[in-house]
Amino acid sequence: DVILDTFAGTGTVGHACELNNRKYILFEKEEKYFDIILSRLQKEYIQKISYENIYINKQILNFVDNLRKLFY
């Protein structure tokens, strides 16, 4: 099972998933909250965080944001 949180906020769902050994995907468009999530998860789980995945996720968010601008 994979938990999907499309409005991650400060990363509470990600933290709970780490505590329960669950896989998860977090989406957050606000960079200030993204930084909070990263900081929060790094404190507890720094060895598990892949900076490559974080970079890819930022690129995906930028792509989605650019698509949104095309249609709105």
Side-chain angles (χ1 to χ4, degrees), residues 47-61:
Q47 70 279 4
K48 293 184 179 181
I49 293 177
S50 164
Y51 288 96
E52 182 177 305
N53 288 340
I54 290 167
Y55 175 76
I56 291 169
N57 288 338
K58 278 195 168 187
Q59 295 303 310
I60 290 169
L61 288 175

Side-chain angles (χ1 to χ4, degrees), residues 22-71:
R22 303 288 299 268
K23 295 178 184 177
Y24 58 94
I25 299 170
L26 305 176
F27 287 96
E28 181 52 60
K29 76 173 198 168
E30 298 292 331
E31 189 152 353
K32 67 180 180 178
Y33 290 115
F34 180 85
D35 293 337
I36 291 170
I37 293 167
L38 184 58
S39 173
R40 184 177 185 183
L41 293 178
Q42 278 180 329
K43 286 179 186 175
E44 301 279 335
Y45 313 104
I46 193 164
Q47 70 279 4
K48 293 184 179 181
I49 293 177
S50 164
Y51 288 96
E52 182 177 305
N53 288 340
I54 290 167
Y55 175 76
I56 291 169
N57 288 338
K58 278 195 168 187
Q59 295 303 310
I60 290 169
L61 288 175
N62 287 337
F63 175 74
V64 169
D65 196 41
N66 287 334
L67 280 178
R68 190 177 300 131
K69 288 175 186 176
L70 288 173
F71 295 102

Side-chain angles (χ1 to χ4, degrees), residues 1-5 11-26 41 45 48:
D1 291 344
V2 177
I3 306 301
L4 175 64
D5 184 0
T12 302
V13 170
H15 180 70
C17 288
E18 287 287 351
L19 290 174
N20 291 290
N21 201 28
R22 303 288 299 268
K23 295 178 184 177
Y24 58 94
I25 299 170
L26 305 176
L41 293 178
Y45 313 104
K48 293 184 179 181

